[in-house]
Amino acid sequence: EAGVAQSPRYKIIEKRQSVAFWCNPISGHATLYWYQQILGQGPKLLIQFQNNGVVDDSQLPKDRFSAERLKGVDSTLKIQPAKLEDSAVYLCASSLQTSGGADTQYFGPGTRLTVL
Amino acid sequence: AQSVTQLGSHVSVSEGALVLLRCNYSSSVPPYLFWYVQYPNQGLQLLLKYTSAATLVKGINGFEAEFKKSETSFHLTKPSAHMSDAAEYFCAVRGSTLGRLYFGRGTQLTVWP
């Protein structure tokens, strides 16, 4: 079974530029998550999709971050304009179902973003 | 609200020694608890999870964790460390609503030969 795919793996940009990340979840997984992991910290949820609808985006800085999941499959996360503090690893995860519970979230390898 | 505290950002053990990584949680509802491992330049991989079926949970690679409600703890142990266990370990908690996971800050495990 193929895992969660993410691209690119690494990205270096200058502040005020824009950047986009792509995620393809495990086939059949209804729920997709984007996390931000700053160096030395645990992952923090940015946004959660159930199929192509947003379940939780309370921690997403909406003035500069946006995300979409068209057709309920793959997803893109965009930052425009980027700030120095956006330097982090952006992790995508997927799971079979939501509504809490013990369903496992499967993580992709992440995209390491460096903002200069 | 849920939160996780991982005591000790760095733990070092000798190969063959006991591994103990500490995790305390706070949750206003019966929690689901998880331990994930992250190897360099990789995503997170699930080690084990507590779902209220049993307080002692066995996971992959010889790891296990015990849920102690009275102590609000979910410590991760392995009887004998191996060099390949060197990685960062994250404890996470989820309440019964939505699917949000709250992660701790992580513990970096170093294994000395």
Side-chain angles (χ1 to χ4, degrees), chain A residues 88-114:
Chain A
V89 176
Y90 290 85
L91 295 165
C92 180
S94 69
S95 67
L96 274 173
Q97 63 184 23
T98 184
S99 72
D103 59 303
T104 299
Q105 293 185 21
Y106 296 87
F107 285 80
T111 296
R112 183 177 298 277
L113 174 67
T114 302

Side-chain angles (χ1 to χ4, degrees), chain B residues 11 13 17-21 63 76-81 85 109 111:
Chain B
V11 171
V13 299
L18 171 72
V19 175
L20 171 60
L21 306 181
F63 285 93
L76 183 70
T77 60
K78 182 174 181 178
S80 178
D85 295 327
L109 175 66
V111 182

Side-chain angles (χ1 to χ4, degrees), chain A residues 11-52:
Chain A
K11 190 73 176 178
I12 301 174
I13 62 173
E14 295 188 350
K15 60 184 179 182
R16 291 188 290 272
Q17 287 187 324
S18 63
V19 65
F21 312 126
W22 175 80
C23 172
N24 191 29
I26 293 173
S27 177
H29 280 195
T31 309
L32 186 147
Y33 312 80
W34 282 102
Y35 288 88
Q36 180 191 57
Q37 185 179 17
I38 294 173
L39 186 64
Q41 299 182 20
K44 183 186 78 173
L45 181 73
L46 292 174
I47 189 167
Q48 176 183 341
F49 292 94
Q50 172 77 0
N51 296 310
N52 60 350

Side-chain angles (χ1 to χ4, degrees), chain A residues 37-92:
Chain A
Q37 185 179 17
I38 294 173
L39 186 64
Q41 299 182 20
K44 183 186 78 173
L45 181 73
L46 292 174
I47 189 167
Q48 176 183 341
F49 292 94
Q50 172 77 0
N51 296 310
N52 60 350
V54 175
V55 174
D56 183 353
D57 64 356
S58 59
Q59 299 298 303
L60 186 74
K62 298 181 185 64
D63 57 333
R64 298 184 300 107
F65 285 66
S66 64
E68 60 181 10
R69 190 184 184 196
L70 299 177
K71 301 180 181 179
V73 182
D74 56 352
S75 175
T76 56
L77 176 70
K78 297 179 182 178
I79 307 175
Q80 182 179 9
K83 293 185 176 182
L84 296 177
E85 57 261 36
D86 297 333
S87 293
V89 176
Y90 290 85
L91 295 165
C92 180

Side-chain angles (χ1 to χ4, degrees), chain A residues 9 35 37 42-43 55-56 58-59 91 99-105 107-109, chain B residues 32 36 38 41-44 46 49 51 90 94 96 98-101 103-105:
Chain A
R9 291 294 313 276
Y35 288 88
Q37 185 179 17
V55 174
D56 183 353
S58 59
Q59 299 298 303
L91 295 165
S99 72
D103 59 303
T104 299
Q105 293 185 21
F107 285 80
Chain B
Y32 296 96
Y36 281 87
Q38 187 176 34
N41 298 316
Q42 295 186 26
L44 281 72
L46 181 70
K49 60 184 178 182
T51 63
F90 292 93
R94 172 196 283 156
S96 60
L98 295 178
R100 173 188 287 269
L101 279 177
F103 284 88
R105 296 179 68 91

